[in-house]
Amino acid sequence: MIFRGDSVILSPWFLMISANLDVLRGRVRQACLRSGRDPADVTLVAVSKTFPADALRQAAEAGVTDFGENYVQELLGKRGALAGEQIRWHFIGHLQSNKVRSIVPWVHLIHSVDDLSLAREIDRRAEKAGTVAEVLIEVNTTAEGSKFGVSP
């Protein structure tokens, strides 16, 4: 949104994001109803990689609260640019152990823990920061060498 005096001008980005969110939320609601789930139990995570911070700000203004990034440096930059927004950040990419300290104290959820040594590093950094890190374990069910994840 752009504010000029007493007027609010909606940018094309905001209108597109808002319209797409309405459609997506409707589809999620319908899928939940078909499967007997409460739509309030579903968290929409907007994958924001490669989008500029201004697009994320407009998505936040349209009601998105959760954003997922897959590169630590990009996540750190956007977090700084959007410090005033009420955003829960998710890390959705392959996380390297040497990057854990940069995100563990404040990231909402790490979606891609794929080995025990990474889990231990996350635990160590979370304890040092006085927090508990929420993680999802990535499991490689097909044993493909080109895929990340722990074996079942």
Side-chain angles (χ1 to χ4, degrees):
M1 277 186 255
I2 301 167
F3 297 95
R4 290 206 181 123
D6 294 336
S7 301
V8 175
I9 301 169
L10 298 177
S11 74
W13 269 101
F14 180 82
L15 294 174
M16 182 177 69
I17 290 168
S18 185
N20 286 343
L21 280 170
D22 288 343
V23 170
L24 183 57
R25 287 184 178 127
R27 291 176 65 190
V28 168
R29 187 172 29 263
Q30 291 302 315
C32 286
L33 294 174
R34 283 192 308 272
S35 65
R37 291 189 64 186
D38 181 352
D41 291 340
V42 174
T43 300
L44 172 68
V45 178
V47 176
S48 50
K49 63 181 187 173
T50 73
F51 285 93
D54 285 341
L56 277 65
R57 181 174 288 109
Q58 291 180 28
E61 290 170 356
V64 175
T65 57
D66 292 73
F67 291 90
E69 290 286 337
N70 67 333
Y71 293 109
V72 171
Q73 289 309 112
E74 192 171 348
L75 173 58
L76 294 172
K78 289 177 184 174
R79 179 177 182 244
L82 300 167
E85 301 293 335
Q86 295 297 321
I87 292 175
R88 292 192 314 180
W89 294 102
H90 297 245
F91 188 79
I92 59 174
H94 178 69
L95 183 59
Q96 298 172 333
S97 292
N98 64 340
K99 304 282 184 168
V100 169
R101 73 181 165 313
S102 300
I103 66 169
V104 161
W106 52 268
V107 75
H108 177 69
L109 182 62
I110 300 171
H111 289 238
S112 49
V113 176
D114 60 2
D115 70 42
L116 184 57
S117 64
L118 177 60
R120 285 185 174 135
E121 180 64 13
I122 291 168
D123 185 56
R124 187 175 76 75
R125 292 294 181 170
E127 185 176 357
K128 189 173 184 177
T131 190
V132 174
E134 298 288 330
V135 303
L136 299 175
I137 305 297
E138 185 174 354
V139 181
N140 182 346
T141 59
T142 61
E144 290 180 57
S146 62
K147 308 273 182 177
F148 292 108
V150 298
S151 66

